[in-house]
Amino acid sequence: PLLLEVAWKNVRLRYKSSLLGFLWTLLNPVLYLLIFLFIFSRAFPQVENYPVFALSGLILWTFFATTTAHIQGALVENAGVLRSLAVPPLVFPLAQWMAGLFNLSLSLLPFAGILAFFGWRPSLVDVLAIPALLVFTVFVFGVGLALGALHVFFRDIGLLWGALLPAFFYLTPIAYPPDLVPEDLRWIAGINPLYWYVDLFRTVVSERLVPGVEQWVRVVLLSLVSLTAGMLVFRSLRPGFIANY
């Protein structure tokens, strides 16, 4: 009950005093999409349906950027509560993650509507988008949890992450096809975890294919590594939280 209550509070606070409220969950990727369509729609003729290609990457990117940022600040923002009440610190990162899941779920129907407008039609293979997204959310939580624990001790983490996010955006083939990257630089995509999640999701949503076993194994392992690393960082730093909030 406490976790759900905190998660719902986070959802409400995100859109407090906002005229459009939850619509911002959708408007952010749509604004990016409009920019991409204006600048890049004719630049990549090898992409069969560029709007579907771009939006299927943007939906993952938006969740990654916003949710990691919210989880990263969760402990510091609730320092007063953690000092005065016997609340497990993990509640607040988890609640921010759950709020992110709520926003992601809320955006899927309008997301499907926009895709349909650009010629996408639902098929049986689209069911695989659900486990693809769930595996991705586990990865995001692990990253956010490690950042949140480190942020308690080093406030520069928040500023550093805000500076790194645009770099991740441009290094991940969201607005451009992967084959645009020169062969001698493609190793960079290989060490970028976001690339593999976007590739898996696009295989289902944009290419309408069943992902191969190798694709699934890779992202599951990445998610397990992320979650394990996040929990280890959190547990090792937790004894010093109170003194550094």
Side-chain angles (χ1 to χ4, degrees), residues 38-55:
F38 181 74
I39 299 175
F40 300 123
S41 59
R42 297 182 183 178
F44 309 122
Q46 69 270 42
V47 179
E48 185 175 345
N49 191 333
Y50 183 78
V52 174
F53 172 87
L55 194 55

Side-chain angles (χ1 to χ4, degrees), residues 11-230:
V11 171
R12 296 199 313 269
L13 286 176
R14 287 187 190 185
Y15 304 106
K16 185 179 180 182
S17 302
S18 169
L19 293 176
L20 296 177
F22 294 124
L23 286 176
W24 282 111
T25 303
L26 178 64
L27 284 176
N28 192 33
V30 168
L31 289 173
Y32 270 101
L33 178 62
L34 291 175
I35 295 171
F36 290 170
L37 288 176
F38 181 74
I39 299 175
F40 300 123
S41 59
R42 297 182 183 178
F44 309 122
Q46 69 270 42
V47 179
E48 185 175 345
N49 191 333
Y50 183 78
V52 174
F53 172 87
L55 194 55
S56 57
L58 280 170
I59 196 86
L60 267 67
W61 167 257
T62 302
F63 175 77
F64 174 78
T66 58
T67 305
T68 53
H70 284 302
I71 295 174
Q72 169 251 309
L75 294 171
V76 172
E77 292 167 4
N78 292 280
V81 176
L82 290 166
R83 285 197 196 101
S84 56
L85 298 176
V87 179
L90 190 59
V91 164
F92 294 100
L94 270 174
Q96 288 289 5
W97 178 67
M98 291 175 66
L101 287 178
F102 177 81
N103 283 341
L104 179 63
S105 302
L106 198 70
S107 67
L108 288 180
L109 281 178
F111 169 67
I114 294 173
L115 291 182
F117 177 79
F118 287 108
W120 173 89
R121 294 295 178 264
S123 69
L124 197 58
V125 73
D126 295 320
V127 175
L128 295 174
I130 297 173
L133 287 174
L134 289 176
V135 173
F136 181 59
T137 63
V138 173
F139 169 78
V140 170
F141 178 70
V143 173
L145 190 61
L147 290 171
L150 290 169
H151 190 220
V152 174
F153 295 84
F154 309 103
R155 295 299 197 269
D156 290 341
I157 291 293
L159 298 173
L160 177 62
W161 189 241
L164 286 176
L165 280 174
F168 276 117
F169 179 82
Y170 290 112
L171 287 173
T172 307
I174 295 172
Y176 58 88
D179 57 13
L180 192 68
V181 181
E183 285 192 22
D184 59 330
L185 296 178
R186 288 183 186 176
W187 62 271
I188 297 175
I191 62 173
N192 176 10
L194 289 178
Y195 168 79
W196 300 111
Y197 291 98
V198 171
D199 178 63
L200 177 71
F201 191 64
R202 276 185 175 147
T203 299
V204 175
V205 176
S206 182
E207 299 176 25
R208 321 315 300 275
L209 299 173
V210 176
V213 174
E214 184 181 346
Q215 286 179 283
W216 286 110
V217 170
R218 183 184 290 113
V219 296
V220 168
L221 287 176
L222 283 171
S223 294
L224 289 175
V225 169
S226 173
L227 182 61
T228 302

